[in-house]
Each structure stands twice: as structure tokens, then as C-alpha cells.
Amino acid sequence: MEAATKTDAAATVKAKRVVDPSDVLILKGHQSEVFSCSWNPVEPLLLASGSGDATARLWRVPEGNEAVPSPMVLSHLPNLNENKDVTTLDWNPSGTLLATGSYDGQARIWTLKGELRFIMAQHRGPIFSLKWNKGGDLILSGSADNTTCVWNTETGEMKQQYNLHSLAILDVDWMDNETFASCSSDRTIYVCRVGSKTPLKKWAGHEDEVNAVRWDPTGQYLASCSDDMTTKIWSLSSDQPLQEIRGHQLQIYTLQWAPKTDNGPRILATASFDATVRLWDALSGQCLHVLRNHSEAVYSISFSPDARLLATGSFDEVLNVWNAKDGTLQETFKANGGIFEVHFNKNGDKLAACTSHKQVRVTMDMNFLR
């Protein structure tokens, strides 16, 4: 099912606005690359970051030009091996607890005061993905040890471990409070339900590593992307993909569904090592826009909560913000270092990007783009 392309601007496009450095707040303190950043889902000015320096940090971003208070430093030492990377982090839905996953295989739960509530040590390899369920009572972790673990967040104890994949688990995502998907270097996707040892589904349609999985906002469809350069759309009602989306020229690293704001098409964004991001009508497979203003692999994308804007960050050190409806480039900013992750806050008025040069950068006023 080769997708038709509606708009494909071949040339590098000119942004409406180049961000003034004075509009960007630089959060300094990490001693190594900053791999992840995530805004609190309730408090719009509270930002978490995770780094290769064996810390996560909680930053309270000022509303205006005030000085940035010193962050809360969450030390992950002692760790179980020489690699100190904090690889992934996720807030619980009520914004009261932060979960972190580390390269040493340990997951941790922290309070807003920086208190370590639990260390969850079961994995025997790096944790690559970790997610709270929507009810906030379970955490799901996926590891290079080929297993997923479900944890009770009230006790910190493991509730269930799944040993279904034959290679490293690269991503996990909850469909609802008890059902989740996992994807792996073994080219497969499993859908499991907590309490059941037998998976609900095994999907084996990809021809290379499956890098990311995401359920759409309704929980009806799962999107997966792979080193085989395809994105596939799945439903629990079928053993075969509902749609196979082609267009990228190299591996697809990540994807994100647009927040659902109306009854229009299900919009999906995909980011690739081919330096492009593509916007799709996921169910028809039609490519709506090809976003070209990067020169290296795009590692992270983030929709604004109202689905109007899409931020893209690349190892070319460029942060771009696009109009997700018409595909036009709204603003661009040159960061100091390759960008590992970008994330809009809950109000959509601030955008964080974390870099290989030990920094987190916050673009302070995104409202003017609306």
C-alpha cells in the first residue's frame, strides 16, 4: 500500500521566525548528555530531565525573566554497573510521582520533594522504556534483557514479568489500565493483559527491528515503526496490519499520534533517520506532508496539546516547530548540541529540548504561533 503524497516540499523551507536566543531559557547543571525531558502533566512549569551523569533533575521554570531556582537533583548512585545513564522517565497521571529507568536495569519512583520512594530491581539489562498506566497504579518497563515487568506503584513490588520476546525490548505502551503493547529488536509486537500469562496478540509483520509503538488516543489502533522503513497500523480485531505505510527512505526511529481534537482523520507523525518527518492520515495511509528542514536523523517529535503544532528535534542541533495542519515551518532554533528529546508542556506555551551538550533548553513563549 504505497502512500500517495499530497505535499512534498523538496527544498529546505524558510521559517517564519528564527527564535531569538533571549527567548530561550538554558537550564544548566547536568554533567553529561541529557537524554530525556518531560513536563509534569499537571504543573505546567515543572520539568524533569534525565542524563548520563546518573541524575534526574526537577526544574521549576520561571514564568518570566526571573532567575531559575536550583533544580532538585535525584541521584541514581550507587548504580549496578559502570554505565550511569538515566535512560527514560515518566510522570504519573496526577503529576505527584516521577518514575525513572536506568541503564543498570533499575527503575525508581521519586516524589516531588526528591525523595526516593522505591527501587525496583528485577531487570538484568538496561531499561529502554517505562510508562505509568492511566490509573497510576501500575508501571510497565521494557528492557534489553528481553522482558517486560509490571510493577505495583503502591508497594514497589513486581506484579508480573513477561518473557515473550527473544531480543531487547525497545518500547512499551499502555492501551488501557491493564493492557499493553511491547516491541522488540526481534521484529515482533506483543499485546498482553496484566494477570494473564498468555499474550492477547503477537504481530510479526515487520522485517527489521521495531523501534516504537503507540496506541492512538482512543485505544483502538496501535502504530508501530521499524528499521524496515515502514509504519504499520494494527487493531486487536486482526492478525494483519490494517495499514502499511511507506515513504521514508531510512529507518523510522519514533512516531506520535496527534491529540484527538475532533472527529477528523487520525493523524500520525513519523520521524526518520532520513532527516524528514512525515504526517499521515493513518487509516488511509495517505501522506499529508513531508517536513524537511533537518540534515541528520530526527530523534524526537512532540505535538502541542491542541494538535496545531509539531516540534521536531534532530542530531543536526536544530529544533523546528511546524504547523501540523498545513506543514509549514513556523519557527526554528539552533541548539547547542544534538537534540535527544523535545516536549511541549500541558498548556502548549513552552517547549523543552534536551541535548548532547549537557543542557535543557526551554522556548518560553509558544503562544504567538497560534
Side-chain angles (χ1 to χ4, degrees):
M1 288 175 273
E2 188 72 32
T5 302
K6 186 184 288 185
T7 63
D8 188 345
T12 299
V13 290
K14 183 175 177 59
K16 289 185 177 178
R17 176 179 184 264
V18 176
V19 178
D20 189 313
S22 64
D23 292 334
V24 177
L25 184 67
I26 299 176
L27 306 178
K28 297 179 179 179
H30 280 297
Q31 303 301 304
S32 186
E33 306 107 314
V34 188
F35 296 117
S36 54
C37 59
S38 179
W39 291 99
N40 186 285
V42 176
E43 295 190 48
L45 299 176
L46 180 57
L47 177 67
S49 59
S51 167
D53 64 6
T55 75
R57 294 174 192 239
L58 301 182
W59 310 85
R60 293 202 174 268
V61 176
E63 187 68 78
N65 297 322
E66 310 95 84
V68 182
S70 296
M72 190 86 65
V73 178
L74 313 180
S75 174
H76 287 61
L77 297 176
N79 54 316
L80 298 180
N81 60 30
E82 292 183 1
N83 192 306
K84 300 182 291 187
D85 295 354
V86 177
T87 49
T88 182
L89 43 79
D90 193 40
W91 291 100
N92 70 337
S94 61
T96 57
L97 297 169
L98 179 73
T100 60
S102 295
Y103 206 91
D104 68 1
Q106 295 187 114
R108 295 169 172 86
I109 297 179
W110 308 83
T111 70
L112 290 179
K113 294 180 179 178
E115 299 161 343
L116 177 59
R117 180 165 285 186
F118 299 117
I119 296 179
M120 301 177 291
Q122 177 68 26
H123 287 299
R124 297 293 174 260
I127 295 174
F128 290 143
S129 184
L130 166 143
K131 303 273 180 68
W132 293 81
N133 70 348
K134 295 174 179 64
D137 61 332
L138 298 174
I139 286 175
L140 172 65
S141 56
S143 168
D145 68 6
N146 309 349
T147 74
T148 52
C149 288
V150 175
W151 306 88
N152 181 325
T153 63
E154 293 295 316
T155 64
E157 295 174 353
M158 189 183 72
K159 188 178 179 76
Q160 195 166 352
Q161 187 170 26
Y162 300 82
N163 196 358
L164 299 169
H165 291 283
S166 60
L167 291 171
I169 291 167
L170 302 180
D171 199 17
V172 295
D173 199 44
W174 290 97
M175 182 185 89
D176 55 30
N177 281 326
E178 297 183 331
T179 311
F180 67 87
S182 58
C183 66
S184 167
S185 298
D186 69 8
R187 308 180 180 186
T188 68
I189 300 163
Y190 280 97
V191 181
C192 299
R193 182 163 288 146
V194 177
S196 173
K197 296 180 180 178
T198 307
L200 298 178
K201 282 288 181 186
K202 178 186 178 180
W203 288 318
H206 281 292
E207 297 176 1
D208 209 331
E209 296 188 4
V210 187
N211 294 315
V213 284
R214 290 288 183 280
W215 294 99
D216 85 304
T218 68
Q220 287 179 276
Y221 305 105
L222 183 79
S224 61
C225 63
S226 167
D227 283 358
D228 68 9
M229 301 184 285
T230 73
T231 299
K232 298 182 194 296
I233 310 299
W234 310 85
S235 165
L236 288 177
S237 62
S238 175
D239 291 331
Q240 301 300 318
L242 302 183
Q243 189 62 257
E244 181 173 300
I245 298 171
R246 297 177 181 271
H248 283 293
Q249 305 303 308
L250 287 173
Q251 301 97 313
I252 305 171
Y253 185 74
T254 192
L255 42 69
Q256 190 178 10
W257 294 92
K260 192 162 174 55
T261 57
D262 54 34
N263 293 320
R266 307 291 174 92
I267 304 299
L268 181 71
T270 56
S272 170
F273 283 16
D274 67 11
T276 72
V277 172
R278 287 175 178 249
L279 287 164
W280 310 88
D281 178 336
L283 300 187
S284 73
Q286 182 183 32
C287 182
L288 304 175
H289 303 290
V290 182
L291 310 181
R292 303 178 186 273
N293 196 46
H294 289 294
S295 57
E296 293 187 39
V298 183
Y299 280 112
S300 183
I301 51 182
S302 177
F303 278 100
S304 60
D306 62 8
R308 293 183 182 182
L309 301 174
L310 178 69
T312 64
S314 165
F315 237 60
D316 63 6
E317 306 189 358
V318 173
L319 173 65
N320 290 316
V321 180
W322 310 81
N323 180 315
K325 305 296 183 188
D326 62 18
T328 57
L329 182 61
Q330 298 297 292
E331 74 169 28
T332 187
F333 180 73
K334 187 79 159 64
N336 180 17
I339 297 171
F340 284 111
E341 190 163 26
V342 295
H343 191 213
F344 274 100
N345 72 345
K346 71 179 288 274
N347 293 348
D349 62 349
K350 289 180 174 51
L351 176 63
C354 55
T355 78
S356 60
H357 285 195
K358 311 176 186 179
Q359 295 179 351
V360 184
R361 291 174 170 243
V362 179
T363 307
M364 294 296 283
D365 183 14
M366 305 300 296
N367 284 328
F368 70 91
L369 291 179
R370 286 177 171 72

